[in-house]
Amino acid sequence: MSRGMALAPLALAAALTLAAAPASKLVDAVKNTDKTTTRALLKQKADVNAPDVDGTTALHWAVRLDDMETADLLIKGGANVKAVNRYNVTPLSIACENGTLLAESRRYADEPQLTLADIDTFVEEWEPAAVRDPRPVVFVHGLAGSTATWLLVAAPIAAALGRRVVAIDLAGFGRTPPPESGATADVNTDVVRALVDEMGPCVLVGTSMGGAIVVRVAVEKPALVEGLVLVNPAVPRPRGNLDGLTRQLKLASTLAPRFAQPLLERRAHALGPERFVDSALDVVLADSSELPADVRERLVELATIRHDDDTAMESYVLAAGSLYRYLATAASRDLDLVRVPTLVMHGAEDRMVPVSWVRAVLARRTDWHSREYADCGHVPPLEVADRFTDDLVTFVRDLPL
């Protein structure tokens, strides 16, 4: 008998043994929503990451079943939110498909929750099933954005970190009205400064214009900023760099609001809320067809609310013009003055802030961490939600105590 024939029965037996291998008892208990057995196994220090034959863990099942209580017990017991099964799916990626799976969203209709810098500010919060760290993660959206920017990532981040996640609508955007003085970048820096004072030490995350705002706050209040995350941040165009020049000239046109505002208002009313949202998404996303339908619906809902608001376009123009002035003056200095741990996340296909601009900043700030996403535009939390979540969670967990 040949050696190969002699080994064949052994190989077959091994394959049959693998195929018939029993699932982890913990996986079975969670899959069957048997909470008594689940708690008993966790008390007995069962391997919380033991997979089923296809690599699916107990946490995969808890998230899939929308069982936040069990998910939190598993995470507290050391469950790996990044465990990959045979289908290359992680618990976090499942959570990203449904922003309410691992943490509870508290959205309070149209009512503002906090008065910040004398402005009634709309707030959206996501609470993990159990708070394991009192320091929140605070999200600040960009120009023309809102709390909807974070819909796909806020709940998974809250659950993975055991921290409250807080997002606001800046003055003049989303559901927060502008003050009489106007919704400038300076006014919204005051709003975020007041928010950080209210929250205490936190991780501060800002995207686009929000990135420029959180840089200013981190420079002024380093003791209250545990870590800084800049997502496709608005940064100055490097000298001699012609990337994005046309887009920058359009931003510069907002320095003349009497000219820019009527043109933008006529375009918005001609398009209507739905087409206006779609035209914007085509610019800011690398592939707008990939955006989940429920997120688009939320954006259209907000655009409809703001469609007949006389202050909406005025707020946009004032914010854009003041942002342009800041980028042309103090922004470079502030970027050099940041003294807190910083992560920069950027889409390689960004048409608004070319990646070459951010690479120039990173060439100076070699102490910063960075992640660059191929096939992603200006809004990574909506385009690459699972990778964004994974990278932000890793950065926060690695912050010094």
Side-chain angles (χ1 to χ4, degrees), residues 81-339:
V81 297
K82 297 179 281 185
V84 179
N85 66 14
R86 180 188 297 168
Y87 313 104
N88 202 33
V89 172
T90 68
L92 275 181
S93 65
I94 298 171
C96 285
E97 293 176 6
N98 182 347
T100 62
L101 283 174
L102 289 181
E104 180 183 1
S105 172
R106 300 199 323 202
R107 182 182 172 202
Y108 305 92
D110 298 333
E111 296 300 319
Q113 279 71 62
L114 287 176
T115 300
L116 302 171
D118 296 323
I119 297 169
D120 291 334
T121 305
F122 179 81
V123 180
E124 193 160 359
E125 299 182 8
W126 291 261
E127 295 273 3
V131 176
R132 298 186 297 279
D133 190 324
R135 296 167 296 180
V137 177
V138 175
F139 284 131
V140 181
H141 66 75
L143 187 65
S146 68
T147 59
T149 301
W150 316 106
L151 281 178
L152 299 180
V153 299
I157 288 169
L161 293 173
R163 296 186 184 218
R164 185 165 54 118
V165 169
V166 179
I168 63 169
D169 282 344
L170 292 172
F173 298 97
R175 289 176 168 81
T176 300
E180 289 185 9
S181 59
T184 64
D186 287 341
V187 164
N188 275 311
T189 300
D190 291 340
V191 168
V192 176
R193 190 184 293 115
L195 178 64
V196 169
D197 286 337
E198 176 85 17
M199 296 286 117
C202 63
V203 174
L204 199 51
V205 184
T207 185
S208 193
M209 178 181 74
I213 288 172
V214 299
V215 163
R216 296 175 68 178
V217 174
V219 169
E220 295 171 12
K221 294 181 174 290
L224 293 180
V225 180
E226 177 194 0
L228 186 65
V229 181
L230 306 178
V231 185
N232 290 57
V235 296
R237 179 172 62 89
R239 184 169 300 183
N241 186 314
L242 299 181
D243 294 343
L245 184 58
T246 301
R247 188 70 55 187
Q248 188 182 36
L249 291 174
K250 288 183 179 179
L251 184 66
S253 70
T254 58
L255 292 170
R258 289 185 182 178
F259 167 76
Q261 185 175 329
L263 289 178
L264 293 171
E265 285 176 338
R266 281 197 292 272
R267 179 175 181 273
H269 282 84
L271 289 173
E274 193 164 351
R275 288 173 59 206
F276 181 77
V277 166
D278 287 338
S279 67
L281 292 175
D282 286 341
V283 173
V284 299
L285 306 183
D287 183 356
S288 60
S289 68
E290 294 292 323
L291 186 71
D294 57 336
V295 177
R296 179 183 174 277
E297 288 170 10
R298 172 80 176 267
L299 296 172
V300 171
E301 173 194 340
L302 287 170
T304 302
I305 291 170
R306 294 173 61 81
H307 183 68
D308 295 318
D309 182 351
D310 293 338
T311 68
M313 200 56 71
E314 178 185 17
S315 294
Y316 174 86
V317 170
L318 286 175
S322 58
L323 173 64
Y324 182 88
R325 280 189 290 271
Y326 170 69
L327 294 176
T329 54
S332 290
R333 177 205 64 197
D334 287 347
L335 288 165
D336 290 338
L337 289 175
V338 171
R339 292 295 178 265

Side-chain angles (χ1 to χ4, degrees), residues 372-386:
E372 191 173 301
Y373 306 108
D375 303 320
C376 176
H378 191 58
V379 197
L382 293 181
E383 298 178 77
V384 288
D386 53 348

